[in-house]
Amino acid sequence: MEIEYVGHSDDVSFLHPEPCVMALGFFDGVHLGHRKVIAEAREIAREKNLKLAVMTFFPHPKEVFSCENTKVNYLMPIDVKAETFSDLGVDKLYVIDFTKSFAALSPKDFVHKYLVELGALHVVAGFDFTYGHKGMGNMQTLHSDSNYSLQVTTVSKLEEDGRKVSSTLIRELLAAGQVLKVADYLGDFYETRGELLPLSIVIKQGSFHAEVITAPYFTLPKTGLYEMEAQMGERIYHGTAYVRPNSAETSIFDIRLVWPLKKSKDLMIKLKWLNRVTDPKRMIADLRLAAHASTIF
Ligand SMILES: Cc1cc2nc3c(=O)[nH]c(=O)nc-3n(C[C@H](O)[C@H](O)[C@H](O)COP(=O)(O)O)c2cc1C
Ligand SMILES: Nc1ncnc2c1ncn2[C@@H]1O[C@H](COP(=O)(O)OP(=O)(O)OP(=O)(O)O)[C@@H](O)[C@H]1O
């Protein structure tokens, strides 16, 4: 998949525009609602034999508009979003620099300069997508804003438990520690990435303890103990993660893995947040059992 970072010069020809179906939105976390949009766009691209492109923005509009520099608790950085889109069959990702002057474009100017000129022939977005100055453009105005040149498909709302599946809802669930529920909206467990802090690593009696520093643009769940799955290199481990009261500021938390594990030079770690541990004693008993089983098989 190709990635094009788009600034705001007048000339877009260097971006090699290609006729495409374009899916639009911020897509933080690439949850099940987002996947519905991408799947619809992918189907149209296949039928029309066109490339599948996604247009996303960075930073988040909320960060650009807030007077007091509201911090957005991002679910994933751009590189992980790009990996996910690539896995979903996207051919090209446009990342638009979301500046105040870009946001001030009239809806028509946005449609012409950023959709038509970038080769979009058919545009796909969810029922609540808005664009242009003050978000005045919407799915009903896209066709006319393009002088009727763009085909438009609006994806209906995906709900779960009577609520719209949304990045905002997932951020709220993380803040409440409800990581198991998050998986219902994401379609998988929430994943963060980071690095082991080398001086923190302690290995004793087959158990491995370390501190992890989380990479930027991920959000840790609420303070507490979690059951987690870790991936280092090709290997998968099980264990627990403890998010400390100050982890939101430091991005650092503790992990404990039970598989016998040797020190490795590769300090990169991916973590899936499986469940919040409400009964630590039972959790420890379960993990001992698992460690024991590993010595048998
Ligand atoms: C060209 C453009 C201009 C925008 N201008 C504004 C704006 O002036 N005020 C605003 O609140 N949001 C503005 N937005 C943000 C949109 O309302 C919306 O949050 C953004 O496109 C992300 O869409 P999504 O949340 O559906 O993914 C603009 C978006 C685009 C694409
Ligand atoms: N539940 C959903 N059902 C259908 N389409 C959706 C859903 N959620 C988002 N979309 C669409 O996916 C694209 C990206 O949406 P966006 O990034 O605004 O997601 P969001 O979850 O609504 O985010 P936030 O909660 O931060 O507003 C947009 O085209 C949007 O309309």
Side-chain angles (χ1 to χ4, degrees), residues 207-220:
S207 115
F208 176 98
H209 176 247
E211 289 179 331
V212 176
I213 180 149
T214 309
Y217 302 107
F218 288 105
T219 293
L220 292 176

Side-chain angles (χ1 to χ4, degrees), residues 23-28 31-37 60 62 124-130 139 155-159 163-169 171:
L24 304 173
F26 194 82
F27 297 108
D28 193 18
H31 58 58
L32 292 177
H34 298 153
R35 283 165 195 259
K36 190 178 170 191
V37 173
H60 197 285
K62 268 188 205 137
V124 181
F127 66 103
D128 60 353
F129 178 77
T130 55
M139 295 308 282
V155 174
S156 61
K157 176 161 55 171
L158 181 75
E159 289 185 320
R163 293 196 284 184
K164 179 195 153 192
V165 175
S166 75
S167 309
T168 305
L169 179 57
R171 290 185 197 109

Side-chain angles (χ1 to χ4, degrees), residues 24-27 34 55 57 60-62 65 98 100 102-107 110 114 126 128-137 164:
L24 304 173
F26 194 82
F27 297 108
H34 298 153
M55 177 176 287
F57 311 96
H60 197 285
K62 268 188 205 137
F65 291 118
F98 198 91
K100 278 196 170 145
F102 168 75
L105 283 175
S106 73
F110 166 70
Y114 291 85
D128 60 353
F129 178 77
T130 55
Y131 60 92
H133 187 49
K134 299 204 165 141
M136 284 186 302
K164 179 195 153 192

Side-chain angles (χ1 to χ4, degrees), residues 14-241:
F14 69 94
L15 294 169
H16 317 296
E18 273 180 283
C20 65
V21 175
M22 186 94 86
L24 304 173
F26 194 82
F27 297 108
D28 193 18
V30 197
H31 58 58
L32 292 177
H34 298 153
R35 283 165 195 259
K36 190 178 170 191
V37 173
I38 305 295
E40 180 72 42
R42 191 174 51 221
E43 189 54 29
I44 296 167
R46 198 186 55 79
E47 278 165 16
K48 295 191 167 178
N49 201 19
L50 290 170
K51 294 271 186 210
L52 172 58
V54 172
M55 177 176 287
T56 189
F57 311 96
F58 189 83
H60 197 285
K62 268 188 205 137
E63 274 193 335
V64 175
F65 291 118
S66 63
C67 321
E68 296 156 33
N69 263 344
T70 309
K71 189 174 163 279
V72 172
N73 289 324
Y74 289 93
L75 299 172
M76 58 169 50
I78 284 284
D79 57 335
V80 176
K81 205 189 269 187
E83 255 178 51
T84 314
F85 284 141
S86 177
D87 292 345
L88 293 175
V90 174
D91 300 303
K92 195 159 185 172
L93 176 63
Y94 290 105
V95 183
I96 312 282
D97 185 13
F98 198 91
T99 59
K100 278 196 170 145
S101 58
F102 168 75
L105 283 175
S106 73
K108 272 196 170 182
D109 282 350
F110 166 70
V111 171
H112 283 279
K113 199 163 165 209
Y114 291 85
L115 299 181
V116 177
E117 284 195 33
L118 285 180
L121 298 180
H122 195 132
V123 170
V124 181
F127 66 103
D128 60 353
F129 178 77
T130 55
Y131 60 92
H133 187 49
K134 299 204 165 141
M136 284 186 302
N138 58 46
M139 295 308 282
Q140 283 70 48
T141 56
L142 251 176
H143 188 51
S144 57
D145 277 346
S146 71
N147 288 335
Y148 307 96
S149 69
L150 284 179
Q151 299 269 57
V152 176
T153 296
T154 305
V155 174
S156 61
K157 176 161 55 171
L158 181 75
E159 289 185 320
E160 179 80 31
D161 308 324
R163 293 196 284 184
K164 179 195 153 192
V165 175
S166 75
S167 309
T168 305
L169 179 57
I170 293 169
R171 290 185 197 109
E172 285 166 8
L173 290 170
L174 286 176
Q178 294 186 48
V179 295
L180 184 60
K181 194 74 207 149
V182 164
D184 288 347
Y185 298 99
L186 279 181
D188 195 356
F189 296 105
Y190 181 55
E191 185 182 284
T192 59
R193 299 186 183 186
E195 237 178 279
L196 301 176
L197 294 174
L199 295 179
S200 71
I201 299 173
V202 178
I203 303 175
K204 60 176 179 206
Q205 295 168 348
S207 115
F208 176 98
H209 176 247
E211 289 179 331
V212 176
I213 180 149
T214 309
Y217 302 107
F218 288 105
T219 293
L220 292 176
K222 167 184 163 171
T223 303
L225 189 65
Y226 294 85
E227 186 186 343
M228 58 89 174
E229 186 185 280
Q231 185 182 348
M232 284 185 272
E234 293 302 307
R235 295 195 63 178
I236 307 280
Y237 305 91
H238 284 86
T240 52

